[in-house]
Amino acid sequence: MRAAAVLCTAAFALTACASAPEEPGLPGLPGTQATSQNDCAVIAAVAKGHYQFGPNNVPPPLWLFSEDGDWEPACDWSRYGVSFPTTYDPNRPHQPGDRVQWVQFHKPVYDSRGATIEAGILHGPLAGMGVRCRVVSGIAGWTLAGQCENTWIS
């Protein structure tokens, strides 16, 4: 009886694995949706943990950036406890006197220890700072692993 239960469990596991092939994405996570949702959670971890964005500290317009321009995660920010009320369009022509502000997040890079993400914030002309942050996944979701490292200052 016990052997039959083990065989049944093993057969179920093989069937489940065979019916859900992995697409390219994060190791151990299926497909691009998992990658996108992890990207969102990593960004939210930096937004809350490093920048301290929240109801009393509203972020400047959000700018999601990738070198190839092919990265557009569809994030439900409320799911992660953060809000980005406006977005930044770098291609929009600016008028003289316009205040240019943004918080920028690059596409996270994942490895066996978690993720690294480049971010930056611009408060105004010659008033900004870039950082590189290590983010790890655990019981509490994605969280900062220590302090972010400065990469640029203006």
Side-chain angles (χ1 to χ4, degrees), residues 1-12:
M1 178 75 161
R2 187 175 188 167
V6 170
L7 285 174
C8 182
T9 302
F12 176 76

Side-chain angles (χ1 to χ4, degrees), residues 37-92:
Q37 292 308 309
N38 278 296
D39 291 353
C40 299
V42 167
I43 291 167
V46 174
K48 293 187 308 185
H50 177 72
Y51 291 115
Q52 306 285 308
F53 293 146
N56 297 324
N57 185 19
V58 178
L62 173 65
W63 181 7
L64 298 177
F65 179 84
S66 69
E67 293 294 329
D68 59 14
D70 194 26
W71 175 64
E72 295 180 30
C75 301
D76 175 6
W77 295 117
S78 63
R79 175 179 176 189
Y80 305 103
V82 68
S83 172
F84 293 99
T86 59
T87 57
Y88 176 76
D89 179 1
N91 298 317
R92 183 180 72 83

Side-chain angles (χ1 to χ4, degrees), residues 107-146:
K107 183 176 181 179
V109 176
Y110 297 90
D111 59 30
S112 62
R113 299 178 307 150
T116 303
I117 185 168
E118 303 266 342
I121 191 165
L122 185 70
H123 299 286
L126 302 177
M129 174 183 267
V131 293
R132 179 179 303 114
C133 303
R134 167 61 70 181
V135 183
V136 295
S137 180
I139 293 172
W142 288 92
T143 57
L144 284 180

